[in-house]
Amino acid sequence: MLFFPNRQGYLEPEAIFEWYQMCAAAIDSHRAAFLNWLSNGATGVPPSPLPSALIGGTREDVVEHFDQVAKELELSSVLWLVTACEGRLRVDLRTRLKDQDFLATRLQIARNGRAQEFLVPLEDEGIFDAWKAFIRGHVTGPLQDQAVNAMGSVKPLIDLRHWLAHGRYWQTKVSTTAQTPAAVRNAVIQFFRLLDQCAAKAGIRAVA
């Protein structure tokens, strides 16, 4: 059984964030043990594992190394959180294509001409645009603005996901400092909460 539950067919952001917190705590604990070993004159058996980059290193080298390790964990966790968001949108697409409402129709149009559901894009006349058209046409007032703004907060995360998933071989314009695991988790949860509110307002079913 995998650590991240996917009982609904997609990963759950809270479980991913808990995993991140556990891993971050382990990194902090190993950092503290290593610094304590250095403070005691680097005598005796060093904490294991001993990164090769730290052999003969200074205290500053240790701090920098573990800062970098912690940052890589953050980026990995962000990738998992964004893929969880994409997964839920695609599970919802699969089930909503059977409906007859406006949103379903827009998603069916996005699906037309594509051999597989996974080929439906998130952007570029895809899932995001279908939801945005639904929200602008069937939801009014502050809820409409909040939902559109939430969608605007999530879309850069998709760009960040592409950058992370494809090897980071170009310079991303998305801030990797601002997009912490906590910030991304909150953005994803708020995004789906608002989509559910919009669906309820229009009398259609909630996100799968």
Side-chain angles (χ1 to χ4, degrees), residues 13 31 56 75 77 82 90-91 99 129-130 159 162 181 183 187 192 194 200:
R31 181 205 305 256
L75 292 175
S77 302
V82 180
R90 293 195 178 281
V91 169
D99 296 343
D129 289 341
D159 294 335
H162 293 331
F192 284 112
L194 288 168

mmCIF file of all heavy atoms in Angstrom, residues 13 31 56 75 77 82 90-91 99 129-130 159 162 181 183 187 192 194 200:
data_model
loop_
_atom_site.group_PDB
_atom_site.id
_atom_site.type_symbol
_atom_site.label_atom_id
_atom_site.label_comp_id
_atom_site.label_asym_id
_atom_site.label_seq_id
_atom_site.Cartn_x
_atom_site.Cartn_y
_atom_site.Cartn_z
ATOM 1 N N PRO A 13 -4.062 16.101 -1.045
ATOM 2 C CA PRO A 13 -3.058 17.106 -0.654
ATOM 3 C C PRO A 13 -2.638 17.019 0.806
ATOM 4 O O PRO A 13 -1.460 17.214 1.124
ATOM 5 C CB PRO A 13 -3.760 18.434 -0.958
ATOM 6 C CG PRO A 13 -4.725 18.108 -2.053
ATOM 7 C CD PRO A 13 -5.204 16.720 -1.746
ATOM 8 N N ARG A 31 20.501 17.226 10.240
ATOM 9 C CA ARG A 31 21.323 18.446 10.241
ATOM 10 C C ARG A 31 21.846 18.727 11.665
ATOM 11 O O ARG A 31 23.034 18.995 11.867
ATOM 12 C CB ARG A 31 20.500 19.632 9.746
ATOM 13 C CG ARG A 31 21.274 20.954 9.695
ATOM 14 C CD ARG A 31 20.342 22.153 9.809
ATOM 15 N NE ARG A 31 19.304 22.156 8.824
ATOM 16 C CZ ARG A 31 19.289 22.943 7.741
ATOM 17 N NH1 ARG A 31 20.283 23.776 7.522
ATOM 18 N NH2 ARG A 31 18.277 22.899 6.905
ATOM 19 N N GLY A 56 35.215 16.507 5.327
ATOM 20 C CA GLY A 56 36.195 17.582 5.481
ATOM 21 C C GLY A 56 35.589 18.963 5.397
ATOM 22 O O GLY A 56 36.313 19.966 5.379
ATOM 23 N N LEU A 75 10.585 21.268 -3.382
ATOM 24 C CA LEU A 75 10.221 21.202 -4.797
ATOM 25 C C LEU A 75 9.552 19.874 -5.136
ATOM 26 O O LEU A 75 8.572 19.837 -5.896
ATOM 27 C CB LEU A 75 11.454 21.419 -5.669
ATOM 28 C CG LEU A 75 12.066 22.823 -5.628
ATOM 29 C CD1 LEU A 75 13.358 22.868 -6.433
ATOM 30 C CD2 LEU A 75 11.076 23.858 -6.143
ATOM 31 N N SER A 77 7.831 18.039 -3.103
ATOM 32 C CA SER A 77 6.501 18.067 -2.486
ATOM 33 C C SER A 77 5.533 18.933 -3.287
ATOM 34 O O SER A 77 4.357 18.587 -3.451
ATOM 35 C CB SER A 77 6.607 18.585 -1.045
ATOM 36 O OG SER A 77 7.484 17.776 -0.285
ATOM 37 N N VAL A 82 0.867 19.530 -6.942
ATOM 38 C CA VAL A 82 0.274 20.003 -8.200
ATOM 39 C C VAL A 82 -0.259 18.827 -9.020
ATOM 40 O O VAL A 82 -1.320 18.927 -9.650
ATOM 41 C CB VAL A 82 1.281 20.840 -9.011
ATOM 42 C CG1 VAL A 82 0.650 21.325 -10.312
ATOM 43 C CG2 VAL A 82 1.766 22.032 -8.191
ATOM 44 N N ARG A 90 -8.775 15.665 -13.604
ATOM 45 C CA ARG A 90 -8.956 14.673 -14.669
ATOM 46 C C ARG A 90 -9.937 13.574 -14.250
ATOM 47 O O ARG A 90 -10.677 13.059 -15.100
ATOM 48 C CB ARG A 90 -7.599 14.093 -15.079
ATOM 49 C CG ARG A 90 -6.723 15.141 -15.758
ATOM 50 C CD ARG A 90 -5.546 14.556 -16.489
ATOM 51 N NE ARG A 90 -4.777 15.607 -17.161
ATOM 52 C CZ ARG A 90 -5.114 16.181 -18.311
ATOM 53 N NH1 ARG A 90 -6.219 15.791 -18.940
ATOM 54 N NH2 ARG A 90 -4.363 17.125 -18.834
ATOM 55 N N VAL A 91 -9.952 13.216 -12.982
ATOM 56 C CA VAL A 91 -10.979 12.288 -12.495
ATOM 57 C C VAL A 91 -12.358 12.918 -12.651
ATOM 58 O O VAL A 91 -13.319 12.273 -13.086
ATOM 59 C CB VAL A 91 -10.717 11.898 -11.028
ATOM 60 C CG1 VAL A 91 -11.907 11.167 -10.434
ATOM 61 C CG2 VAL A 91 -9.470 11.031 -10.927
ATOM 62 N N ASP A 99 -22.439 14.028 -18.020
ATOM 63 C CA ASP A 99 -23.527 14.926 -17.631
ATOM 64 C C ASP A 99 -24.038 15.717 -18.838
ATOM 65 O O ASP A 99 -23.478 15.636 -19.935
ATOM 66 C CB ASP A 99 -23.052 15.873 -16.528
ATOM 67 C CG ASP A 99 -22.692 15.125 -15.244
ATOM 68 O OD1 ASP A 99 -23.103 13.957 -15.105
ATOM 69 O OD2 ASP A 99 -22.005 15.716 -14.394
ATOM 70 N N ASP A 129 -10.230 26.365 -19.066
ATOM 71 C CA ASP A 129 -11.074 27.290 -19.826
ATOM 72 C C ASP A 129 -12.538 26.901 -19.742
ATOM 73 O O ASP A 129 -13.417 27.770 -19.725
ATOM 74 C CB ASP A 129 -10.618 27.332 -21.288
ATOM 75 C CG ASP A 129 -9.283 28.051 -21.451
ATOM 76 O OD1 ASP A 129 -8.904 28.800 -20.541
ATOM 77 O OD2 ASP A 129 -8.624 27.854 -22.482
ATOM 78 N N ALA A 130 -12.837 25.611 -19.692
ATOM 79 C CA ALA A 130 -14.221 25.167 -19.545
ATOM 80 C C ALA A 130 -14.792 25.612 -18.198
ATOM 81 O O ALA A 130 -15.919 26.118 -18.117
ATOM 82 C CB ALA A 130 -14.302 23.648 -19.682
ATOM 83 N N ASP A 159 2.561 25.508 -14.615
ATOM 84 C CA ASP A 159 3.843 25.814 -15.268
ATOM 85 C C ASP A 159 5.009 25.290 -14.428
ATOM 86 O O ASP A 159 5.987 24.748 -14.973
ATOM 87 C CB ASP A 159 3.991 27.323 -15.468
ATOM 88 C CG ASP A 159 2.977 27.879 -16.450
ATOM 89 O OD1 ASP A 159 2.505 27.108 -17.308
ATOM 90 O OD2 ASP A 159 2.643 29.076 -16.359
ATOM 91 N N HIS A 162 5.319 21.564 -14.863
ATOM 92 C CA HIS A 162 5.991 21.208 -16.119
ATOM 93 C C HIS A 162 7.509 21.331 -15.962
ATOM 94 O O HIS A 162 8.266 20.454 -16.400
ATOM 95 C CB HIS A 162 5.513 22.118 -17.249
ATOM 96 C CG HIS A 162 4.080 21.926 -17.622
ATOM 97 N ND1 HIS A 162 3.427 20.732 -17.481
ATOM 98 C CD2 HIS A 162 3.168 22.794 -18.141
ATOM 99 C CE1 HIS A 162 2.170 20.857 -17.895
ATOM 100 N NE2 HIS A 162 1.997 22.097 -18.295
ATOM 101 N N PRO A 181 5.485 24.296 -0.062
ATOM 102 C CA PRO A 181 4.468 23.246 0.057
ATOM 103 C C PRO A 181 3.215 23.716 0.792
ATOM 104 O O PRO A 181 2.092 23.376 0.394
ATOM 105 C CB PRO A 181 5.199 22.146 0.835
ATOM 106 C CG PRO A 181 6.625 22.310 0.425
ATOM 107 C CD PRO A 181 6.824 23.793 0.323
ATOM 108 N N ALA A 183 2.021 26.810 0.979
ATOM 109 C CA ALA A 183 1.289 27.736 0.116
ATOM 110 C C ALA A 183 0.561 26.995 -1.000
ATOM 111 O O ALA A 183 -0.591 27.303 -1.321
ATOM 112 C CB ALA A 183 2.246 28.777 -0.472
ATOM 113 N N ALA A 187 -3.442 26.665 -1.647
ATOM 114 C CA ALA A 187 -4.003 27.119 -2.917
ATOM 115 C C ALA A 187 -4.849 26.032 -3.566
ATOM 116 O O ALA A 187 -5.938 26.307 -4.090
ATOM 117 C CB ALA A 187 -2.882 27.557 -3.859
ATOM 118 N N PHE A 192 -10.339 23.968 -5.002
ATOM 119 C CA PHE A 192 -11.426 22.992 -5.111
ATOM 120 C C PHE A 192 -12.619 23.359 -4.220
ATOM 121 O O PHE A 192 -13.762 23.068 -4.575
ATOM 122 C CB PHE A 192 -10.917 21.589 -4.783
ATOM 123 C CG PHE A 192 -10.113 20.987 -5.891
ATOM 124 C CD1 PHE A 192 -8.750 20.768 -5.752
ATOM 125 C CD2 PHE A 192 -10.713 20.658 -7.104
ATOM 126 C CE1 PHE A 192 -8.006 20.233 -6.783
ATOM 127 C CE2 PHE A 192 -9.981 20.121 -8.148
ATOM 128 C CZ PHE A 192 -8.624 19.910 -7.983
ATOM 129 N N LEU A 194 -13.694 26.372 -3.740
ATOM 130 C CA LEU A 194 -14.447 27.368 -4.499
ATOM 131 C C LEU A 194 -15.134 26.754 -5.713
ATOM 132 O O LEU A 194 -16.256 27.149 -6.058
ATOM 133 C CB LEU A 194 -13.513 28.507 -4.917
ATOM 134 C CG LEU A 194 -13.077 29.419 -3.766
ATOM 135 C CD1 LEU A 194 -11.937 30.321 -4.195
ATOM 136 C CD2 LEU A 194 -14.256 30.254 -3.275
ATOM 137 N N ALA A 200 -22.343 24.177 -6.598
ATOM 138 C CA ALA A 200 -23.555 24.189 -5.783
ATOM 139 C C ALA A 200 -24.435 25.386 -6.146
ATOM 140 O O ALA A 200 -25.674 25.268 -6.214
ATOM 141 C CB ALA A 200 -23.195 24.223 -4.308
#
